[in-house]
Amino acid sequence: MAKESMKAREVKRAKLVEKYAAKRAQYKAEGNYEALQNIPRNASPVRLHNRCKITGRPKGYIRLFGISRIQFREMASKGLIPGVKKASW
């Protein structure tokens, strides 16, 4: 489990990215790089990091499901993910 502070930090970054998206696009289109530097660093979409919705784990993230590989495996084994079943041959 990730620390709650780490999860909260990612949520805060996501809100900042959303808040400054229009300004960032406008400044980039104008070529106004001085104004672009005055936007907070955490407002850059590059600084976002995908995390598991359940555990907050930052590595082994599966985008299609929004969860980590470990949670995916557990949920698939229990039959909690529709259309996914464990392969056996």
Side-chain angles (χ1 to χ4, degrees):
M1 266 319 235
K3 293 192 317 186
E4 291 300 316
S5 61
M6 295 303 289
K7 292 181 192 178
R9 195 178 298 168
E10 286 298 327
V11 170
K12 188 177 178 182
R13 279 189 188 130
K15 285 180 184 176
L16 266 178
V17 168
E18 191 176 323
K19 179 180 176 182
Y20 285 99
K23 261 188 187 175
R24 175 175 282 285
Q26 177 189 353
Y27 292 153
K28 276 195 169 187
E30 293 171 356
N32 191 355
Y33 297 107
E34 289 177 14
L36 197 60
Q37 287 180 342
N38 293 331
I39 294 176
R41 282 187 180 174
N42 281 336
S44 173
V46 173
R47 292 176 76 99
L48 289 177
H49 200 278
N50 293 326
R51 285 187 174 271
C52 175
K53 302 287 184 253
I54 301 165
T55 61
R57 181 181 167 85
K59 296 181 179 180
Y61 179 81
I62 301 173
R63 268 189 195 188
L64 184 63
F65 299 98
I67 55 177
S68 69
R69 62 182 175 81
I70 298 164
Q71 287 298 311
F72 177 78
R73 186 167 189 261
E74 285 177 11
M75 291 174 76
S77 294
K78 292 176 185 174
L80 298 174
I81 303 174
V84 176
K85 64 180 181 181
K86 197 165 185 278
S88 60
W89 61 91

